[in-house]
Amino acid sequence: MSLSEEARLQDRLTGIRERIAIAAGKSGREPAVIRLVAATKSQPPAVLARLFSLGIQDVGENRVQEAAAKREILGSKGTWHFIGHLQKNKAHAAAHLFDWVQSIDSLDLAQAISRGATALGRSIAVLLQVNVSGEGTKFGVPPEAAQELAEEVNALPGLELRGLFTIAPYTEDPEASRPVFGGLRTLRDRIERNTGLALPVLSMGMSHDFLIAIEEGSTMVRIGTALLGPRQPRVNR
Ligand SMILES: *Cc1c(COP(=O)(O)O)cnc(C)c1O
């Protein structure tokens, strides 16, 4: 990275942290409770190394092979989140590479990661991906099926169920996503009440809608372009 790129990254990070603090204040919370995951898909390893040196701990990737190549270079640094759609045949590799898998949307997938984690003697933090809007993203469990899946996933060895994850459909006006984020929060509250499970993590909010997501109770935002600029076009995939 050039010096000017590094300065720009530092500036963007400062700006995002300020905006996170304002939104947290609006929802009556301390900024420190909001975890910032840098969505680093398509970014080269040098960018992740720079983020770690700027104090960012969490990075989010959506392809197993791409993450494997980066981890080979970066070693054990950082906390790695899988935030894409995971195929079952990659579950074992994912259990090896990632500390968190946010996109659990079936018992089959959860069982496959559980087997991988158990074989490796690891514990993987997981979130259930919920398709709150019923449109937009193809993936995620419907809200009405989330409670049953939460109880099943919670019973699996090698997995620690921490909460819920959603992606709001893209809209010009992020205000339109407020009901999606509020919907995930009320679903979480209801599942906690009905089951006694603790689901403290709500992963919701990206570059264009993270302020609204935080106002609605997000505890984890996944930010790519607002922090890192436009993604590099993907070659040969
Ligand atoms: C890429 C990605 C993000 C970050 O998106 P930006 O709009 O660049 O901030 C967040 N969440 C998921 C699941 C992603 O795939």
Side-chain angles (χ1 to χ4, degrees):
M1 290 187 99
S2 70
L3 268 179
S4 66
E5 280 170 338
E6 293 200 9
R8 205 161 50 187
L9 180 56
Q10 174 71 73
D11 276 357
R12 287 186 181 132
L13 179 58
T14 305
I16 287 168
R17 290 218 192 278
E18 282 168 5
R19 289 191 287 157
I20 287 175
I22 292 168
K26 284 193 189 172
S27 64
R29 294 179 299 157
E30 293 295 323
V33 305
I34 318 289
R35 196 158 165 176
L36 171 59
V37 176
T40 48
K41 59 183 181 233
S42 92
Q43 300 288 346
V47 169
L48 283 78
R50 189 66 195 141
L51 288 169
F52 294 144
S53 74
L54 288 172
I56 289 201
Q57 168 73 14
D58 297 284
V59 292
E61 293 279 335
N62 66 351
R63 293 188 187 232
V64 171
Q65 269 160 303
E66 186 182 327
K70 291 178 191 176
R71 282 217 92 157
E72 197 141 306
I73 292 164
L74 294 162
S76 61
K77 280 207 197 83
T79 299
W80 292 63
H81 299 248
F82 189 81
I83 60 174
H85 178 65
L86 186 58
Q87 284 159 338
K88 242 193 330 172
N89 62 1
K90 303 245 172 83
H92 198 280
H96 177 66
L97 286 166
F98 290 94
D99 306 292
W100 289 64
V101 175
Q102 300 203 5
S103 48
I104 302 287
D105 64 357
S106 74
L107 181 58
D108 267 7
L109 177 60
Q111 285 170 330
I113 300 167
S114 168
R115 281 193 296 274
T118 312
L120 294 160
R122 299 197 71 207
S123 175
I124 314 290
V126 298
L127 304 177
L128 303 189
Q129 181 172 4
V130 183
N131 187 352
V132 178
S133 64
E135 54 185 10
T137 74
K138 291 193 294 277
F139 302 115
V141 71
E144 57 276 13
Q147 180 172 317
E148 186 180 353
L149 183 58
E151 293 188 292
E152 290 167 339
V153 169
N154 185 60
L156 294 174
L159 304 185
E160 280 177 44
L161 178 61
R162 298 276 178 84
L164 307 179
F165 159 60
T166 201
I167 303 172
Y170 182 83
T171 53
E172 281 297 314
D173 178 10
E175 193 57 49
S177 296
R178 191 180 289 280
V180 172
F181 299 135
L184 193 71
R185 187 192 64 237
T186 47
L187 177 66
R188 185 275 307 274
D189 293 349
R190 191 160 68 236
I191 296 173
E192 283 191 328
R193 239 184 357 260
N194 291 348
T195 64
L197 291 173
L199 303 171
V201 177
L202 291 176
S203 173
M204 52 188 199
M206 309 170 37
S207 287
H208 73 290
D209 59 14
F210 73 93
L211 297 176
I212 307 286
I214 292 170
E215 287 174 26
E216 291 298 319
S218 171
T219 68
M220 186 181 271
V221 292
R222 312 170 310 271
I223 299 186
T225 48
L227 180 62
L228 302 168
R231 280 183 272 282
Q232 315 298 314
R234 210 179 279 288
V235 278
N236 74 42
R237 276 169 213 267

